[in-house]
Amino acid sequence: MEIESATQHKGACGRLKALPSRFKAKLITVAKSIKKLAQDDPRRIIHSLKVGLALTLVSLLYYVRPLYDGFGVSGMWAVLTVVVVFEFTVGQTLSRGLNRSFATFSACALGIGAKHLASLSGEKGEPIILGILVFLLAAASTFTRFFPKIKARYDYGILIFILTFSMISVSGSRVEDLLEMSYQRLSTILIGGAICIIVSIFVCPNWAGQDLHKLVASNIHKLATYLEEFGGEYYQNCSENEEEGCGGRDVSKNDKSFLQGYKSVLNSKNTEESLANFARWEPAHGRFRLRHPWKQYLKIGALARQCAYKIESLNVYIGTSDTKVSPEFHGTIQEVCMKMSSESGKALKELASAINTMSDDPFSSANAYVESSKTAANELKIALESASLNNVDIQAILPSATVASTLIEIVSCVEKISEAVHELSNLAHFKKIKEANVSPELSKQPHNLLHRGSVIPVLDGDSNHVVITIDHEKTDNWPENDQNPKGPNPAGRRPQV
Amino acid sequence: MEIESATQHKGACGRLKALPSRFKAKLITVAKSIKKLAQDDPRRIIHSLKVGLALTLVSLLYYVRPLYDGFGVSGMWAVLTVVVVFEFTVGQTLSRGLNRSFATFSACALGIGAKHLASLSGEKGEPIILGILVFLLAAASTFTRFFPKIKARYDYGILIFILTFSMISVSGSRVEDLLEMSYQRLSTILIGGAICIIVSIFVCPNWAGQDLHKLVASNIHKLATYLEEFGGEYYQNCSENEEEGCGGRDVSKNDKSFLQGYKSVLNSKNTEESLANFARWEPAHGRFRLRHPWKQYLKIGALARQCAYKIESLNVYIGTSDTKVSPEFHGTIQEVCMKMSSESGKALKELASAINTMSDDPFSSANAYVESSKTAANELKIALESASLNNVDIQAILPSATVASTLIEIVSCVEKISEAVHELSNLAHFKKIKEANVSPELSKQPHNLLHRGSVIPVLDGDSNHVVITIDHEKTDNWPENDQNPKGPNPAGRRPQV
C-alpha cells in the first residue's frame, strides 16, 4: 500500500511539474497559430483594428454631450449596429447596413400603422389584434426567408424587419411616444451604419469583387500549375522505373504541393457564390465598374471546377493504380500526352494572367496554346490509329489509355474555359493592346513576366473571404537570359525584385 | 409625327392594358413557387409558425403586468433574442442561445470590472481608458473569429461578447445602475433564449443530427441509383446503335433524372460540415445519443464525394465522347462492366439502407455485393488478359477502356465507403440482428423492402438545412410476387401502402 501511494504521489507530483511546461507548450502552439493566421492574410489584422476603430468612433456618441442629450439610452443602438453590421468585405458591410436601415424604416412605418389599427378596437382588443398581427407577420416573413434568391440578398433585412416590427408594435402598447422611439432607433442605426460603411470603404478596403476576381484567376492558375508539372513528373517516373511501370506510386509519394493545389478548387462553389453576391452591393472601385459581370466569374468558376474534377480523377487514378504499364505503348503516346498536358497548362496560365491583369494581351498566346493542345490531341488520335500493336496486352495499356483520354477531356475543358474568359473580357472591357506587327512568339514573352510566382489563396472554411498569398519561390528560377528589351508591351519590363 | 405619336400612344395603351395580366401572371408564378417551397419541405411552414408562436409567447411579457413591472423597457431584449436566436434546427437554436447567454454573462462581468478599473483614474481619465479597453477588446475578439474552429462554434458568442462589453462599458459612464442593467439584460435574454429552445425542442423539432444522417444516407443512395441504372442504359444504347457507336449522345440526351441526381453530392461539403457542427450541440434524441459519432458522417460524406467525382468524369465522358466504339472489344467487357456497375450500386443501396434504418442487418448483403463487384473487377482483368485482339484500333477501344477503368476505381471507392459505414455502425451501435441459420439469399429480401422508393434531399444553397422528400414512384413497380412470409426479420412484412 505504501509503495502504491508513493507511486501515486510521485505521479501527481510529476503531473504538477509537467503542468507549466505543458501550459508553455500550449501557449507556444496558440502563438504560432496566431502568427500563421496573420501571415496568411495580413488583412485580418487590419480588419480587427478597423472594427476597434469603428466601435471607438461610435462610442464617442456617449461622450459628446449634445449627441447624448439627443439620443440618450437609444445611443446603444448605434453601438449594436456597428458590431453587427461591420463585416470583412465592403460588399457584405454595405449589404448588412442597407438591409438593416431599410428594414428598420419599413418596419417602423408598418409597426406604427399596426398600432394605430389596433388602437381602434379598444383597450381590450388591442393586445389581441397586435398579437395576431405579430404572429402572422413573423410567420410570413420567416417563410419568405426560404426563397433562395431572397435568402441570398435580403435575409438579414427580413430578420431586422421582424425584430423591429415586433418591438415597435409590442412596446407600443406601453410606451406612448412611438414616433419618437422610431425616430431615435432609425437615426442611431443610420449613424452606426454610416460609420461602418465609411470605415469599411475608406480605411484599407477589402472588396469582395476583387477577392472573387483574384480567387477565380488563382483557381485557374492552380489547375495550370498541376497540368504543367504533371506530364514531366508522371512520364519521367515512368521512364525512370520502366521495369516497375508508372503506376504512379512514386508520384503520389512525392508530397509535391502541385499535386494538392487544385484540391481547393473542388469545393470553391459556396465561396464564389457568396463573394459574387456581396460584390453586387459594391460601388465602382478600381477597374471594376458598377455593373461588372460578376455572374461570368461564376460561369468560369464552374468550368474550372469541371476541369478540377477531371484532374481529381486523373490524380487519384495515378495514385492508386499499380498495373504494370506496357513501355511500348507508353512510348508511343508519351510525347504527345506531355504536350497536351503542358500546352493546356500554359494556356490556363495565360488565361489566369489575362484575368489578373484585366488585359486582352495574354489572349494571343493563350489562343496559340489552346490550338497547340488541340493539335496534340489530334496527333494523339493519329498516333493511336497508326499504332500497330499486335498481340497487345490490353491490361498493360489501360492506365496509359485512361490518362490519355482524360487529358483529351481536359483539353476540351480548357477550350471552354478560354471561351468563357474571352466572354468575360468583352463584358468587363479588358484593356485592349494593339499587337500589330508582333509575332505570337514575341508577344508571349512579356506577359509571362506578369505572372511570376504563384498565387495561393487559402479557402477559409465557410467564411466569406479568401486569403491570397503570393509565393515568390519561383522567381528564383526565373530565366535571367530571356530578356527581350524590344518587347512590344511596356508591362514587359522586368520588375526589380 | 402624328403617326409616330399615335403608335406611341397605342404602345402605351397596350402596356397599360397588359399590366394587369402581367401582374396576374407574376402573381401566379409567385404563388406556384410558394407552393413548391412548401411542398418540397413542409417543415418550412411549421418552422415559420413556430417563429410566430415563440414571438407571440415572448410578447406576453409586455402584457403580464408583474413581468412588465420587473423588466420595463428591457423586455425588448427578450423579443430581440427570440428573433435572432430562433433557427431552423434545434442544434443551431441551442448553439445561438447558449452562445448568447454565456457571452452576455461574461461580457457583463468584464464590462463592470472595466468600468470599476476606469473609475479609479478619475473623471477625465475614465472615458479615455474605457475607449482604449473597448478598442483593444474589440480588435482582439474580432481577430479570434478568424480561427476556423472558433468560427465554427463560437462566432456568434464572440459577436455578442463584443456587443455587450461595449454597451456595458460605454453606457456605464452615464447610467449608474450598471448591475441592475446587466441583471435585466441577462435575465431577459435567458427568458427569450429559453422560450426559443423550448419551442424548438418540443414543437415538431427539426434535428440537425437527423438531417445529417438522412443527407449522408441519401447521398449514397443517389450514387447507388446512378450506378445501378448506368450499366443497363449505357450498354443498351451501345447494342441498339452499334453502327453509331455508344458515344453516349443518346444517354446524355435522355434527360433521365438518375443521370443528374448525383450532381448535388459534388457540392455537399459545406452543408454536411455545418450540420455536423450543429448536431454536436443537440441533446440525445431518438436513436442518437449525446456523443453520436458525427465526425464519421463527414468521413463517409467525403468518400461519397470522391465516388461522385469519378461518376462525374464517367458521366461527362459519356456525354461528350463521340469516338466510334469497337463492337468486338465492347462485347468482351460489356457483361462484366455491367456487373461491376450494378453490383456496386446494389452494395451502396444496402449501405444507405443500413444507415437509414440504423441496423447491421443490410451489411450481410452489402458485403456480398461488394465482394461480387470485386470479383467482377478481377474477371474484367482476366477478360482483358485473355482478349486476343490482333491489329486492334486502339482509338476504337479507348472509350470502353476508360469506362472500364473508371468502374474499377468506383469499385474500390465503394469498398472504402463500405468500410467507413461499418465503422459508423460500431461507433453508433447500430441494431445487431442475429442471423443464425439464415442464408445470405434469404436475408437479402426483407431489408430490400426497407428502402422502397428513393430519398431525394434538396440542397438549399448555403442554408443549413436539407429537404428530404420520399419519392414513392418506384413502389408501383414493386414485385408483388416476391412475398417471403417466412422472412427472419419482422421489418420484412410489407407495409400496407
Side-chain angles (χ1 to χ4, degrees):
Chain A
M1 277 297 280
E2 254 175 45
I3 298 171
E4 214 172 272
S5 86
T7 323
Q8 275 177 3
H9 180 73
K10 215 177 168 182
C13 271
R15 250 173 279 147
L16 275 176
K17 272 181 196 165
L19 204 63
S21 72
R22 259 189 227 159
F23 183 69
K24 213 174 152 186
K26 184 87 187 161
L27 219 64
I28 290 171
T29 318
V30 171
K32 271 186 186 164
S33 59
I34 289 176
K35 200 180 160 196
K36 194 180 172 302
L37 265 186
Q39 275 178 338
D40 279 352
D41 191 359
R43 295 182 302 169
R44 285 170 174 161
I45 296 178
I46 296 170
H47 171 70
S48 306
L49 297 177
K50 276 162 75 181
V51 173
L53 174 68
L55 213 48
T56 316
L57 279 179
V58 85
S59 304
L60 285 179
L61 280 184
Y62 276 86
Y63 300 107
V64 181
R65 176 57 66 181
L67 276 175
Y68 181 76
D69 289 346
F71 298 121
V73 189
S74 290
M76 71 180 175
W77 287 116
V79 175
L80 202 147
T81 301
V82 167
V83 177
V84 175
V85 164
F86 208 106
E87 293 282 350
F88 191 75
T89 59
V90 175
Q92 203 172 356
T93 307
L94 268 169
S95 153
R96 284 178 86 90
L98 295 177
N99 261 307
R100 193 176 172 94
S101 307
F102 283 112
T104 304
F105 178 74
S106 48
C108 281
L110 216 66
I112 292 172
K115 171 80 187 95
H116 182 72
L117 190 80
S119 68
L120 296 177
S121 60
E123 209 176 306
K124 283 209 167 175
E126 196 181 312
I128 296 169
I129 288 188
L130 280 177
I132 292 171
L133 279 177
V134 165
F135 179 84
L136 289 179
L137 213 101
S141 308
T142 304
F143 189 77
T144 58
R145 291 174 71 191
F146 287 114
F147 284 93
K149 274 189 188 171
I150 292 179
K151 186 166 185 66
R153 295 202 196 174
Y154 309 112
D155 193 55
Y156 185 65
I158 293 174
L159 192 84
I160 295 300
F161 178 80
I162 304 174
L163 190 135
T164 308
F165 179 82
S166 321
M167 271 172 49
I168 289 278
S169 57
V170 167
S171 71
S173 62
R174 300 286 164 181
V175 187
E176 285 314 302
D177 41 2
L178 259 188
L179 275 173
E180 177 69 18
M181 182 184 161
S182 302
Y183 164 73
Q184 283 191 349
R185 183 167 153 81
L186 193 58
S187 50
T188 44
I189 281 180
L190 285 178
I191 290 173
I195 288 177
C196 284
I197 291 171
I198 290 168
V199 171
S200 178
I201 293 183
F202 294 103
V203 184
C204 311
N206 302 320
W207 301 100
Q210 210 165 31
D211 277 6
L212 175 65
H213 182 86
K214 284 184 187 165
L215 174 67
V216 169
S218 86
N219 277 353
I220 293 179
H221 196 277
K222 279 176 189 169
L223 301 181
T225 312
Y226 185 94
L227 290 174
E228 275 198 336
E229 306 279 332
F230 166 76
E233 200 69 25
Y234 177 56
Y235 289 105
Q236 194 184 337
N237 277 329
C238 285
S239 49
E240 274 173 11
N241 315 303
E242 235 166 40
E243 65 284 356
E244 259 192 67
C246 47
R249 279 153 301 160
D250 306 89
V251 179
S252 67
K253 270 182 195 161
N254 286 348
D255 192 27
K256 304 219 169 173
S257 59
F258 75 84
L259 278 173
Q260 304 302 322
Y262 76 93
K263 279 195 194 283
S264 67
V265 183
L266 295 170
N267 291 309
S268 57
K269 188 170 184 255
N270 287 34
T271 316
E272 280 172 14
E273 275 176 2
S274 62
L275 282 177
N277 191 31
F278 297 137
R280 282 195 203 105
W281 292 89
E282 290 176 350
H285 57 281
R287 299 212 40 220
F288 303 98
R289 293 165 313 133
L290 197 61
R291 288 176 175 277
H292 196 77
W294 302 118
K295 272 194 178 172
Q296 187 64 19
Y297 287 94
L298 296 184
K299 199 177 157 188
I300 298 173
L303 288 170
R305 264 194 305 286
Q306 288 286 341
C307 191
Y309 295 147
K310 294 192 170 77
I311 290 181
E312 169 80 5
S313 75
L314 197 69
N315 195 41
V316 172
Y317 179 79
I318 293 165
T320 54
S321 160
D322 54 2
T323 325
K324 291 199 178 179
V325 170
S326 140
E328 186 193 2
F329 176 67
H330 209 74
T332 319
I333 62 165
Q334 171 171 346
E335 200 183 327
V336 68
C337 279
M338 279 178 78
K339 196 175 166 200
M340 272 159 72
S341 167
S342 71
E343 296 295 290
S344 12
K346 280 176 195 160
L348 285 181
K349 228 165 212 173
E350 293 297 325
L351 292 172
S353 157
I355 299 179
N356 258 336
T357 58
M358 294 190 82
S359 141
D360 270 357
D361 191 28
F363 279 150
S364 56
S365 43
N367 292 343
Y369 287 131
V370 168
E371 282 310 313
S372 158
S373 67
K374 278 163 74 183
T375 314
N378 283 329
E379 279 170 22
L380 175 67
K381 284 175 190 166
I382 294 165
L384 290 177
E385 267 172 23
S386 62
S388 60
L389 296 172
N390 286 328
N391 290 322
V392 66
D393 177 6
I394 294 175
Q395 221 192 328
I397 67 165
L398 206 55
S400 310
T402 309
V403 167
S405 74
T406 309
L407 283 173
I408 292 177
E409 289 162 41
I410 287 174
V411 166
S412 84
C413 199
V414 167
E415 200 187 347
K416 276 183 207 157
I417 294 177
S418 167
E419 278 162 21
V421 176
H422 276 78
E423 204 177 321
L424 174 69
S425 149
N426 286 333
L427 293 169
H429 307 287
F430 279 13
K431 265 183 279 180
K432 295 212 187 303
I433 290 172
K434 282 170 194 163
E435 289 176 308
N437 305 325
V438 179
S439 77
E441 275 313 301
L442 271 174
S443 68
K444 254 180 236 170
Q445 201 50 48
H447 36 75
N448 275 338
L449 296 171
L450 290 177
H451 52 82
R452 338 176 37 151
S454 61
V455 183
I456 307 163
V458 183
L459 275 186
D460 189 11
D462 56 346
S463 79
N464 298 320
H465 73 278
V466 179
V467 184
I468 292 164
T469 54
I470 310 290
D471 175 11
H472 278 291
E473 269 176 38
K474 292 212 173 161
T475 49
D476 300 335
N477 306 327
W478 207 257
E480 286 297 326
N481 313 332
D482 276 350
Q483 297 201 356
N484 179 20
K486 288 190 181 173
N489 177 2
R493 263 174 265 139
R494 171 173 297 119
Q496 307 298 322
V497 187
Chain B
M1 275 298 281
E2 256 176 41
I3 298 169
E4 214 172 272
S5 84
T7 323
Q8 275 176 3
H9 180 73
K10 215 175 166 184
C13 271
R15 250 172 280 146
L16 275 175
K17 273 182 195 163
L19 205 64
S21 72
R22 259 190 227 158
F23 183 71
K24 212 175 152 187
K26 184 87 189 161
L27 219 66
I28 290 172
T29 319
V30 171
K32 271 185 186 164
S33 58
I34 289 175
K35 199 181 161 196
K36 195 180 173 301
L37 267 185
Q39 274 178 338
D40 280 351
D41 191 358
R43 295 182 304 168
R44 286 170 174 160
I45 296 178
I46 296 170
H47 171 70
S48 305
L49 297 177
K50 276 162 76 180
V51 173
L53 173 68
L55 213 49
T56 316
L57 279 180
V58 84
S59 302
L60 285 179
L61 279 184
Y62 277 86
Y63 300 107
V64 180
R65 175 59 64 182
L67 277 174
Y68 182 76
D69 289 346
F71 298 120
V73 190
S74 289
M76 69 179 175
W77 288 115
V79 175
L80 202 147
T81 301
V82 167
V83 177
V84 175
V85 164
F86 208 107
E87 293 282 351
F88 192 76
T89 59
V90 175
Q92 203 173 355
T93 307
L94 268 169
S95 152
R96 284 178 87 89
L98 295 176
N99 261 306
R100 191 176 173 95
S101 307
F102 283 112
T104 304
F105 178 75
S106 48
C108 281
L110 215 67
I112 293 172
K115 172 80 188 95
H116 181 73
L117 190 80
S119 68
L120 296 176
S121 59
E123 209 176 307
K124 283 207 168 176
E126 195 181 312
I128 297 170
I129 288 188
L130 280 177
I132 293 172
L133 279 177
V134 166
F135 179 84
L136 289 179
L137 212 102
S141 309
T142 304
F143 189 76
T144 58
R145 290 175 71 192
F146 287 114
F147 284 94
K149 273 189 189 172
I150 291 179
K151 186 166 185 65
R153 293 204 198 174
Y154 309 113
D155 194 56
Y156 186 64
I158 293 174
L159 192 85
I160 295 300
F161 178 80
I162 303 174
L163 190 135
T164 308
F165 179 81
S166 318
M167 271 172 49
I168 289 278
S169 58
V170 167
S171 71
S173 60
R174 301 285 164 182
V175 187
E176 285 315 302
D177 40 1
L178 260 188
L179 275 174
E180 178 69 17
M181 182 184 160
S182 302
Y183 163 73
Q184 283 191 349
R185 184 169 152 80
L186 194 58
S187 49
T188 44
I189 282 181
L190 285 178
I191 290 173
I195 288 176
C196 285
I197 291 171
I198 289 168
V199 171
S200 178
I201 293 183
F202 294 103
V203 184
C204 311
N206 302 320
W207 302 100
Q210 211 166 29
D211 277 6
L212 176 64
H213 183 85
K214 284 183 186 166
L215 174 67
V216 169
S218 86
N219 278 352
I220 292 179
H221 196 276
K222 279 176 189 169
L223 302 181
T225 311
Y226 186 94
L227 289 174
E228 275 197 337
E229 306 280 331
F230 166 77
E233 200 68 25
Y234 177 56
Y235 290 105
Q236 193 183 338
N237 276 329
C238 284
S239 50
E240 274 172 13
N241 315 303
E242 235 165 42
E243 64 286 356
E244 260 191 68
C246 48
R249 280 153 300 159
D250 306 89
V251 179
S252 66
K253 272 183 196 160
N254 286 349
D255 192 28
K256 304 220 171 172
S257 59
F258 75 84
L259 277 172
Q260 305 301 322
Y262 76 92
K263 280 196 193 281
S264 67
V265 184
L266 295 170
N267 291 308
S268 57
K269 186 168 184 258
N270 288 34
T271 316
E272 279 171 14
E273 276 176 3
S274 62
L275 282 178
N277 191 30
F278 298 136
R280 283 196 201 102
W281 292 89
E282 289 176 349
H285 56 280
R287 298 213 39 219
F288 303 98
R289 293 165 313 134
L290 198 60
R291 288 176 176 277
H292 196 76
W294 302 116
K295 272 193 179 175
Q296 187 65 20
Y297 287 94
L298 296 184
K299 199 176 158 189
I300 298 172
L303 288 171
R305 264 195 304 286
Q306 288 287 340
C307 192
Y309 294 147
K310 294 193 171 76
I311 290 180
E312 169 80 5
S313 75
L314 197 70
N315 195 41
V316 172
Y317 179 78
I318 293 164
T320 55
S321 160
D322 54 1
T323 325
K324 291 199 176 179
V325 170
S326 141
E328 186 194 0
F329 176 69
H330 209 74
T332 318
I333 62 167
Q334 171 172 345
E335 200 183 329
V336 69
C337 278
M338 278 178 76
K339 197 176 167 197
M340 273 159 71
S341 167
S342 71
E343 295 295 291
S344 8
K346 281 176 194 159
L348 285 181
K349 228 164 212 174
E350 292 297 326
L351 291 172
S353 158
I355 299 178
N356 258 335
T357 57
M358 295 190 82
S359 141
D360 270 358
D361 192 30
F363 279 150
S364 56
S365 43
N367 292 344
Y369 287 130
V370 168
E371 282 311 314
S372 158
S373 67
K374 279 163 74 183
T375 314
N378 284 329
E379 279 170 23
L380 175 67
K381 284 177 191 166
I382 294 165
L384 290 178
E385 268 172 24
S386 63
S388 60
L389 297 171
N390 286 328
N391 290 322
V392 65
D393 177 6
I394 294 174
Q395 220 192 329
I397 66 165
L398 206 56
S400 309
T402 309
V403 167
S405 74
T406 309
L407 282 174
I408 292 176
E409 289 162 40
I410 288 174
V411 165
S412 83
C413 199
V414 167
E415 200 187 348
K416 276 183 205 157
I417 294 177
S418 167
E419 279 163 19
V421 176
H422 276 80
E423 206 176 319
L424 174 71
S425 150
N426 285 334
L427 292 170
H429 307 287
F430 279 12
K431 267 184 280 180
K432 295 212 189 302
I433 290 172
K434 282 170 195 163
E435 289 175 308
N437 304 325
V438 178
S439 77
E441 276 312 303
L442 271 174
S443 69
K444 253 180 238 173
Q445 202 49 48
H447 37 76
N448 275 340
L449 295 172
L450 291 177
H451 53 81
R452 334 175 40 150
S454 60
V455 183
I456 307 164
V458 182
L459 275 184
D460 190 10
D462 55 347
S463 79
N464 297 321
H465 73 277
V466 180
V467 184
I468 293 163
T469 53
I470 310 291
D471 175 11
H472 277 291
E473 270 175 37
K474 291 209 174 165
T475 48
D476 301 335
N477 306 327
W478 208 255
E480 287 297 327
N481 312 332
D482 275 350
Q483 297 202 357
N484 180 19
K486 288 190 180 171
N489 178 3
R493 264 175 265 139
R494 171 172 298 118
Q496 308 297 322
V497 186

